[in-house]
Amino acid sequence: MARVKTFNTTDIMQNASKVFNIDDKEIALINCEGKFYAIDDLCSHAEASLSEGEVYDCKVECPLHGAEFDLNTGEAVTLPATKPVKTYPVYVQDGHLYIEMNEDA
Ligand code: FES
């Protein structure tokens, strides 16, 4: 496990997202009602960036076909997506957001 420093907490507005690039991955850091989440930015259904979707009720809605993903678990809670997206633990320390990455992530 490696803890990676990303953005300042103030960089991401409420119910908005920002993409963090690490190696060849894109991870969406999402602020939902003041709580922060990290999920893979790529939708599990097709080529769409979840960071461009609407955020509400601890979910993000894919901007392309409207599937909703639970930000806690990454589960696809509405169609057309059926597969989950990967989630990452987020820690706040001294105003910075850290994500926990697996070595194989
Ligand atoms: S690309 Fe996300 S629901 Fe289709």
Side-chain angles (χ1 to χ4, degrees):
M1 293 286 223
R3 204 172 271 205
V4 179
K5 187 177 183 181
T6 65
F7 304 109
N8 292 336
T9 52
T10 52
D11 290 340
I12 309 174
M13 310 256 289
Q14 186 125 315
N15 295 340
S17 317
K18 204 168 159 120
V19 175
F20 182 75
N21 290 285
I22 179 164
D23 300 329
D24 56 355
K25 285 184 84 68
E26 295 193 329
I27 296 173
L29 273 288
I30 299 174
N31 176 350
C32 188
E33 282 138 38
K35 190 161 188 269
F36 292 93
Y37 302 87
I39 62 172
D40 274 344
D41 188 44
L42 182 66
C43 183
S44 63
H45 179 240
E47 292 280 328
S49 176
L50 293 177
S51 61
E52 292 169 18
E54 218 179 308
V55 176
Y56 48 82
D57 294 341
C58 290
K59 291 182 285 187
V60 63
E61 182 181 321
C62 177
L64 194 54
H65 306 117
E68 295 172 321
F69 293 88
D70 184 311
L71 294 174
N72 283 301
T73 63
E75 289 297 317
V77 291
T78 60
L79 296 171
T82 54
K83 294 187 207 130
V85 290
K86 190 168 168 48
T87 61
Y88 305 85
V90 180
Y91 301 92
V92 179
Q93 195 178 346
D94 298 330
H96 297 287
L97 296 167
Y98 292 81
I99 53 176
E100 192 96 36
M101 306 281 297
N102 288 325
E103 256 101 62
D104 62 349

